[in-house]
């Protein structure tokens, strides 16, 4: 009766257990990597012809590894192994850990990428300030073109800032409540100021032209 009890598993349960022989574990491990059910696994090792006669066992496992054992146990024996050595829950545990390892590796890679990307975003954000000052100092650029450039720069700056906050897991309204409002307000004020100056210059030029055409005789 003791032989027909399920063994008590110790972690990691997909490794060889105390009450498990090397031969039992070899077949268990093959099943862990087998894409199919227990019955399909047994059918692989104990193939039958159309009449139900047992054919010679394959020399290699489904994985392609050579079977190191000269004699297979009876089919019923291997089925008992699968049941009492708890192959199915151990297979699930194997793949759960396998997937977790992959996910943990991806998280590390993604975290490393975000860290590097954040540094580049910060550099780019700081560079926007330099570009803004260059636009202000540009003497040959017309005021309305300056205004457009500063507006486009402000939009790009805020998009990068939102990306940086997203990567940091911070709410976007932090930027909107402070820097975005300030930047947009500054841009709007400069646009209005420069546009007004441009209009005044145009009007003054028109007035000067008219004064030249006037005849005081």
């Amino acid at each position: 009766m003791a032989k027909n009890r399920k063994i008590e598993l110790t972690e990691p349960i997909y490794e060889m257990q105390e009450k498990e022989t090397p031969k039992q574990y070899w077949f268990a491990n093959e099943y862990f990597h087998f894409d199919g059910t227990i019955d399909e696994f047994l059918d692989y090792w104990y193939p039958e012809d159309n009449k139900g006669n047992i054919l010679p066992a394959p020399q290699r496992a489904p994985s392609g590894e050579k079977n190191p054992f000269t004699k297979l146990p009876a089919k019923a024996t291997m089925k008992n192994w699968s049941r009492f050595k708890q192959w199915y829950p151990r297979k699930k545990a194997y793949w759960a850990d396998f997937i977790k390892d992959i996910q943990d590796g991806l998280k590390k890679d993604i975290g490393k990428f975000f860290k590097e990307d954040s540094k580049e975003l910060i550099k780019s954000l700081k560079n926007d300030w330099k570009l803004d000052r260059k636009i202000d100092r540009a003497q040959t650029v017309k005021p309305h073109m300056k205004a457009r450039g500063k507006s486009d720069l402000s939009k790009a700056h805020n998009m990068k800032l939102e990306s940086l906050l997203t990567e940091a897991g911070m709410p976007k309204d932090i930027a909107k409540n402070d820097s975005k409002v300030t930047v947009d307000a500054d841009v709007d004020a400069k646009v209005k100021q420069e546009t007004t100056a441009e209009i005044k210059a145009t009007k003054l030029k028109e007035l000067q032209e008219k004064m030249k055409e006037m005849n005081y005789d």
Side-chain angles (χ1 to χ4, degrees):
M1 290 297 293
K3 292 182 179 180
N4 291 334
R5 290 179 183 173
K6 291 183 178 180
I7 61 173
E8 292 185 10
L9 301 175
T10 57
E11 295 291 346
I13 64 173
Y14 46 80
E15 296 290 350
M16 186 172 175
Q17 299 295 298
E18 183 179 353
K19 293 184 178 180
E20 189 170 41
T21 66
K23 186 174 184 178
Q24 290 170 343
Y25 180 69
W26 189 88
F27 284 103
N29 188 57
E30 279 295 325
Y31 170 67
F32 298 162
H33 296 82
F34 178 74
D35 186 16
T37 64
I38 289 286
D39 288 337
E40 289 170 335
F41 183 73
L42 293 173
D43 288 341
Y44 176 86
W45 286 107
Y46 305 95
E48 297 179 357
D49 60 19
N50 295 332
K51 297 180 180 178
N53 298 315
I54 299 293
L55 300 173
Q59 295 299 308
R60 293 188 176 274
S63 65
E65 186 176 345
K66 186 176 180 181
N67 177 13
F69 305 102
T70 56
K71 186 178 180 182
L72 287 179
K75 185 176 182 179
T77 300
M78 192 180 291
K79 192 165 187 176
N80 282 337
W81 289 354
S82 70
R83 180 182 177 187
F84 298 113
K85 307 302 178 183
Q86 304 193 59
W87 285 6
Y88 182 68
R90 292 167 69 190
K91 181 177 185 177
K92 287 180 65 178
Y94 174 86
W95 287 105
D97 273 11
F98 181 83
I99 293 170
K100 185 178 181 299
D101 287 343
I102 292 176
Q103 290 175 334
D104 287 346
L106 284 174
K107 285 178 181 177
K108 288 181 181 178
D109 291 340
I110 291 171
K112 183 179 179 182
F113 169 78
F114 279 151
K115 190 174 182 181
E116 293 173 355
D117 193 51
S118 296
K119 287 181 180 178
E120 294 302 317
L121 279 171
I122 291 171
K123 287 180 184 178
S124 183
L125 284 163
K126 289 181 178 179
N127 191 52
D128 288 343
W129 301 338
K130 296 178 182 178
L131 291 174
D132 187 75
R133 289 192 290 271
K134 282 185 179 180
I135 292 173
D136 285 337
R137 291 194 297 265
Q139 300 296 324
T140 58
V141 180
K142 292 183 178 180
H144 72 281
M145 293 300 294
K146 281 188 178 183
R148 182 176 178 180
K150 289 175 76 67
S151 178
D152 290 344
L153 180 62
S154 175
K155 290 176 183 177
H157 181 86
N158 288 322
M159 286 178 66
K160 285 183 278 188
L161 188 57
E162 286 190 2
S163 296
L164 182 62
L165 291 171
T166 298
E167 290 186 4
M170 298 171 66
K172 294 179 182 178
D173 57 358
I174 289 177
K176 291 180 180 178
N177 289 340
D178 297 316
S179 59
K180 185 177 186 301
V181 173
T182 304
V183 171
D184 287 349
D186 289 345
V187 170
D188 288 342
K190 289 178 181 178
V191 168
K192 289 176 182 177
Q193 184 180 0
E194 290 172 351
T195 303
T196 303
E198 185 180 14
I199 291 171
K200 286 181 179 179
T202 303
K203 292 292 183 184
L204 181 60
K205 187 176 182 180
E206 289 175 356
L207 181 59
Q208 289 172 342
E209 292 295 331
K210 286 183 179 181
M211 288 178 68
K212 288 179 182 179
E213 295 172 0
M214 289 178 66
N215 188 352
Y216 293 97
D217 296 336

